[in-house]
């Protein structure tokens, strides 16, 4: 093992300990550089759920089962009082995918930070303002079920998990959560780290697996394009994925992120997939900044080493 590979392994071990992780996996060009912790342990991946649903949207849009230009009015979407205004109902499916609906209604699975920062109703027209909004994300779940006639978790199992050989995911690993303030359910997922790594590799490979196009490549590109600036420093937002600054991580880099330190990151120009999972009870703040620092340092070291820590084909 080269000195740079040794340093990368030490860096990963330090990240694993410091963040109290259940698992940490790093793949480079489909081969394992690092595997730490219990990669078979199922963890609630929190807001990573949004990126998982986004993959299903890419398939459904390509198959014309969902029209991204359809508005909430056309889809007969409303909510409990205070109900949506006519102006709010002009938001499109694509606006929701980009977290730009302009609808600031209470939602299931909101954090205290989301509630505190939620803009006033009617303060921004549809498509004009980015806000990380669980109402948008939950309504996308409603629309997916309504337009496709499929359960989200069964659909993920059939259309993604089985085709890419996920070893642990079952439709029973998803659940629905509703609150009195909204009729639109949240849809938490549980994943193991090794299944999350397969999903990350699928995204890194532009939606292709074993010679078959699972998710349209054009959708992967759109997903990881920084359509919006955000309030999270130099992070951008595409379609249900956070985007990383190209100057530091290369074009097309981004991650799915969940509260408490859940990440699936892809760095296409480096050939890297990084999965970090933790029990949500870890809580706390600063996970994203620390993960980005680790990601940048590890990417630099892996480029210098050029060798795998644990060579094997596929994740």
């Amino acid at each position: 093992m080269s000195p740079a590979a040794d340093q990368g392994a030490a860096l990963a071990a330090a990240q694993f300990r410091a963040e109290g992780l259940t698992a940490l996996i790093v793949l480079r060009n489909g081969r394992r550089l690092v595997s730490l912790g219990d990669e078979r342990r199922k963890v609630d991946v929190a807001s990573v759920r949004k990126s998982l649903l986004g993959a299903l949207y890419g398939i459904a849009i390509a198959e014309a089962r969902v029209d991204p230009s359809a508005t909430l009015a056309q889809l007969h979407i409303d909510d409990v009082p205070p109900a949506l205004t006519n102006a709010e109902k002009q938001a499109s499916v694509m606006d929701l995918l980009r977290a730009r609906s302009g609808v600031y209604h209470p939602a299931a699975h909101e954090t205290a930070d989301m509630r505190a920062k939620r803009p006033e109703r009617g303060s921004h027209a549809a498509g004009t303002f980015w806000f990380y909004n669980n109402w948008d994300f939950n309504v996308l779940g409603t629309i997916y079920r309504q337009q496709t006639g499929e359960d989200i978790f069964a659909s993920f199992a059939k259309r993604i998990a089985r085709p890419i050989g996920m070893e642990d995911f079952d439709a029973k690993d998803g659940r629905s959560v509703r609150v009195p303030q909204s009729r639109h359910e949240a849809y938490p997922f549980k994943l193991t780290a090794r299944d999350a790594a397969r999903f990350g590799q699928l995204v890194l490979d532009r939606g292709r697996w074993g010679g078959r196009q699972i998710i349209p490549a054009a959708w992967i590109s759109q997903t990881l394009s920084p359509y919006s600036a955000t309030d999270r420093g130099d992070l951008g937002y595409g379609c249900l994925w956070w985007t990383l600054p190209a100057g530091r991580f290369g074009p097309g880099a981004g991650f799915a992120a969940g509260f408490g330190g859940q990440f699936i990151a892809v760095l296409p120009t480096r050939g890297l997939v990084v999965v970090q999972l933790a029990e949500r009870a870890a809580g706390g703040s600063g996970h994203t900044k620390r993960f980005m620092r680790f990601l940048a340092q590890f990417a630099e070291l892996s480029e210098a080493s050029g060798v795998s820590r644990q060579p094997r084909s596929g994740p």
Side-chain angles (χ1 to χ4, degrees), residues 185-295:
E185 300 172 340
Y187 40 91
F189 277 72
K190 286 188 176 182
L191 284 182
T192 63
R194 63 182 183 176
D195 279 354
R198 282 182 179 267
F199 181 74
Q201 190 67 44
L202 175 67
V203 173
L204 186 79
D205 290 339
R206 295 178 57 79
R208 195 167 182 82
W209 192 278
R212 177 184 172 192
Q213 196 71 41
I214 307 297
I215 306 167
W219 179 253
I220 299 294
S221 296
Q222 188 170 3
T223 288
L224 289 166
S225 294
Y227 186 81
S228 301
T230 75
D231 58 1
R232 316 290 169 91
D234 52 2
L235 286 176
Y237 203 76
C239 293
L240 303 182
W241 276 72
W242 298 92
T243 64
L244 288 159
R248 290 171 61 195
F249 297 97
F255 56 68
F259 179 80
Q262 327 302 331
F263 295 98
I264 304 173
V266 296
L267 278 63
T269 61
R270 310 290 180 88
L272 288 176
V273 173
V274 181
V275 170
Q276 171 179 303
L277 297 186
E279 290 293 350
R280 291 184 63 190
S285 60
H287 294 289
T288 300
K289 288 182 179 179
R290 294 192 295 272
F291 179 72
M292 288 178 65
R293 184 166 57 247
F294 163 70
L295 200 60

Side-chain angles (χ1 to χ4, degrees), residues 27-248:
L27 308 178
R28 185 178 183 195
N29 299 325
R31 295 177 175 268
R32 293 196 179 208
L33 298 179
V34 171
S35 179
L36 298 172
D38 185 355
E39 64 179 48
R40 301 183 182 187
R41 182 174 178 175
K42 292 185 178 183
V43 173
D44 182 344
V45 293
S47 287
V48 170
R49 69 186 175 98
K50 300 156 189 175
S51 303
L52 304 180
L53 180 65
L56 291 176
Y57 260 90
I59 298 168
I61 289 171
E63 294 176 351
R65 292 182 295 127
V66 175
D67 178 0
S69 69
T71 66
L72 299 179
Q74 291 169 333
L75 296 171
H76 307 290
I77 296 294
D78 208 334
D79 213 329
V80 301
L84 302 193
T85 66
N86 288 334
E88 288 173 328
K89 290 180 181 179
Q90 300 315 301
S92 70
V93 172
M94 186 55 73
D95 290 331
L96 272 64
L97 288 164
R98 291 171 173 167
R100 299 176 72 92
S101 75
V103 180
Y104 307 122
H105 191 286
H109 255 222
E110 285 185 311
T111 64
D113 186 62
M114 286 178 182
R115 288 191 293 272
K117 293 180 178 179
R118 186 194 303 128
E120 293 291 326
R121 294 283 294 272
S123 57
H124 300 285
T128 65
F129 185 78
W130 179 89
F131 175 67
Y132 189 72
N133 187 358
N134 263 20
W135 193 88
D136 291 13
F137 308 135
N138 294 345
V139 171
L140 285 169
T142 298
I143 293 170
Y144 185 84
R145 291 187 294 266
Q146 172 185 296
Q147 295 301 110
T148 67
E150 296 180 4
D151 171 78
I152 291 170
F153 312 115
S155 188
F156 187 81
K158 173 185 175 182
R159 296 179 179 277
I160 294 176
R162 286 200 289 272
I164 69 173
M166 282 189 176
E167 298 174 86
D168 308 302
F169 181 78
D170 185 272
K172 294 178 182 177
D173 293 325
R175 62 189 176 93
S176 297
V177 177
R178 181 177 287 190
V179 296
Q181 294 85 356
S182 177
R183 67 177 61 162
H184 303 289
E185 300 172 340
Y187 40 91
F189 277 72
K190 286 188 176 182
L191 284 182
T192 63
R194 63 182 183 176
D195 279 354
R198 282 182 179 267
F199 181 74
Q201 190 67 44
L202 175 67
V203 173
L204 186 79
D205 290 339
R206 295 178 57 79
R208 195 167 182 82
W209 192 278
R212 177 184 172 192
Q213 196 71 41
I214 307 297
I215 306 167
W219 179 253
I220 299 294
S221 296
Q222 188 170 3
T223 288
L224 289 166
S225 294
Y227 186 81
S228 301
T230 75
D231 58 1
R232 316 290 169 91
D234 52 2
L235 286 176
Y237 203 76
C239 293
L240 303 182
W241 276 72
W242 298 92
T243 64
L244 288 159
R248 290 171 61 195

